[in-house]
Amino acid sequence: MFKNTVCLAGRPLHRITAGTTRLFSSSIPTLKDERTVESHLQFLSKFYTPDLLQSIKITESLVTPKQVLDLKKRGLEGKSKAAPSDVSSDLHRADPKWTEPIVYPNQADNRSPYAPIPANQAPDRTDLVMRFKETKTKAKNDRRADRKAFTKGLSNLTGLDEGYVSRLYVRPIVMKRVSCQTSKGKIPNFYALTVVGDKNGMIGLGEGKSRDGMRTALGKAHWNAVKNLTPITRYEDRTIIGNIDHRYHAVKLFLKSAPSGFGLRVNSNIFEVCQAAGIKDLAGKVYKSRNPMNVTKGFVEALTKQRSLEDLASGRGKKLVDLRKVYYSA
């Protein structure tokens, strides 16, 4: 049974070949003579082309009624995809001409069944080819390489050990977008303030500005903070020496040393600086302005201006042991 060929007109045909007549069962009387066959072919020629009519004749002569019944029982799977081209053709279920992939005029070899979208700017201009570069996302290895190059550059600049620079505690304090008003209009810019420390008495504060984005500004701030690393004086490696009353612009800071286990009961920005410097016990209060940038800068300035215990003892005419015992209960 062939789809598009057998019973297309609802009327079967028969053909007499080599003295053998193959007839089909049909709802109409069987065609018994050659004249009836010819008249029927003339009738079908009104609806079908000569090639299709030849296929119908070949199909009717090759297929037996039993085969037709078997193919009908098998449903759509029993139908062939193509009609036979000659009498010697067998009942193919998958003709090569139907199964081969479609090749379009603008399609390269081994690119079936779908043609790629042409990369031309205009369909009638084949010389204008648009070439797109594949954007590759930065892999983790690339980021590690950038980080290593950044650390190596800082090590060469400051003379510090590369491993020490890579282990520094880094914390951004202020990140904001600002606008510079010029005659050309408002020019956007990015600002970052970063604190760096080793949690053992070394602290640095750095600022970074960039028009390329916050990431670039943070990189500059980190670079400047490592360059500005400064040692600070601590009492018992945990708190400040005595009380500090410091003023920085409109910010008034009052800081007080605390006993062991007291913790950090201070402003949030001062807390981050204490974490980087290695100060574990401190009490403090910020009066008047609480601008994060000025508070951070004022606190770092107050820490670097502390006097050591040796200086205090020599200024008061006391021994270092007596000063620890009398003033600090040590």
Side-chain angles (χ1 to χ4, degrees):
M1 184 68 180
F2 293 90
K3 185 180 185 179
N4 303 333
T5 56
V6 179
C7 297
L8 284 173
R11 300 180 181 182
L13 296 174
H14 82 287
R15 179 171 179 173
I16 302 173
T17 306
T20 305
T21 304
R22 294 183 179 181
L23 301 177
F24 287 85
S25 61
S26 175
S27 58
I28 63 174
T30 306
L31 304 174
K32 296 183 179 180
D33 54 2
E34 194 69 29
R35 289 178 301 175
T36 309
V37 173
E38 293 299 331
S39 61
H40 189 58
L41 287 175
Q42 291 179 2
F43 174 76
L44 292 179
S45 62
K46 298 178 182 179
F47 304 96
Y48 304 110
T49 61
D51 295 338
L52 190 56
L53 198 61
Q54 180 66 18
S55 297
I56 293 175
K57 292 172 64 178
I58 295 171
T59 304
E60 293 283 351
S61 64
L62 294 176
V63 182
T64 63
K66 184 177 183 305
Q67 289 175 331
V68 174
L69 183 60
D70 293 340
L71 292 173
K72 281 186 177 181
K73 289 180 180 179
R74 292 167 61 183
L76 295 176
E77 295 182 358
K79 295 182 179 180
S80 174
K81 295 181 180 179
S85 57
D86 52 21
V87 178
S88 60
S89 300
D90 56 352
L91 299 177
H92 285 306
R93 293 186 57 191
D95 193 272
K97 290 184 179 180
W98 287 75
T99 55
E100 66 181 5
I102 301 173
V103 180
Y104 296 92
N106 62 340
Q107 186 173 335
D109 296 337
N110 302 324
R111 301 284 293 183
S112 57
Y114 301 107
I117 299 174
N120 298 336
Q121 190 172 6
D124 57 341
R125 293 290 303 275
T126 57
D127 57 325
L128 300 177
V129 180
M130 299 175 63
R131 302 182 182 277
F132 299 94
K133 293 183 179 179
E134 296 183 359
T135 55
K136 296 182 179 179
T137 56
K138 259 195 174 182
K140 292 184 178 179
N141 296 336
D142 296 339
R143 293 181 181 177
R144 289 177 183 174
D146 294 345
R147 180 75 176 180
K148 190 173 182 180
F150 182 83
T151 306
K152 188 174 182 180
L154 278 173
S155 177
N156 295 335
L157 178 67
T158 58
L160 299 173
D161 181 60
E162 190 173 341
Y164 175 80
V165 175
S166 63
R167 289 192 300 268
L168 288 174
Y169 177 86
V170 184
R171 181 68 65 181
I173 303 295
V174 179
M175 294 187 298
K176 61 182 179 180
R177 179 186 179 275
V178 298
S179 291
C180 303
Q181 183 66 52
T182 65
S183 59
K184 298 179 181 179
K186 293 182 179 180
I187 300 176
N189 205 352
F190 295 90
Y191 172 85
L193 178 68
T194 303
V195 64
V196 170
D198 63 352
K199 297 187 178 183
N200 193 28
M202 289 288 288
I203 192 171
L205 199 64
E207 294 177 290
K209 301 177 184 178
S210 175
R211 293 181 184 178
D212 298 331
M214 184 56 69
R215 185 180 294 275
T216 308
L218 285 171
K220 290 182 178 180
H222 184 191
W223 184 280
N224 293 330
V226 176
K227 285 172 59 179
N228 298 333
L229 277 175
T230 308
I232 62 170
T233 306
R234 295 180 299 165
Y235 178 70
E236 294 181 350
D237 295 339
R238 60 176 184 81
T239 187
I240 62 174
I241 299 175
N243 299 338
I244 297 177
D245 192 1
H246 185 73
R247 179 164 183 166
Y248 183 82
H249 295 284
V251 178
K252 282 188 176 181
L253 296 172
F254 179 74
L255 306 169
K256 185 178 180 180
S257 59
S260 179
F262 184 82
L264 297 172
R265 305 180 189 181
V266 290
N267 181 279
S268 59
N269 301 304
I270 297 178
F271 177 86
E272 296 294 347
V273 178
C274 291
Q275 288 280 84
I279 298 175
K280 303 175 182 64
D281 304 302
L282 184 66
K285 183 68 178 176
V286 181
Y287 295 100
K288 295 189 72 176
S289 175
R290 291 179 176 82
N291 181 276
M293 188 166 58
N294 287 339
V295 169
T296 306
K297 290 182 178 180
F299 180 60
V300 173
E301 185 179 271
L303 290 179
T304 54
K305 287 185 177 181
Q306 283 186 108
R307 295 179 65 187
S308 62
L309 282 175
E310 290 80 3
D311 293 342
L312 291 175
S314 61
R316 297 175 188 180
K318 300 280 186 179
K319 293 181 180 180
L320 184 60
V321 177
D322 297 336
L323 191 68
R324 283 176 176 271
K325 184 175 182 180
V326 174
Y327 293 96
Y328 300 102
S329 301

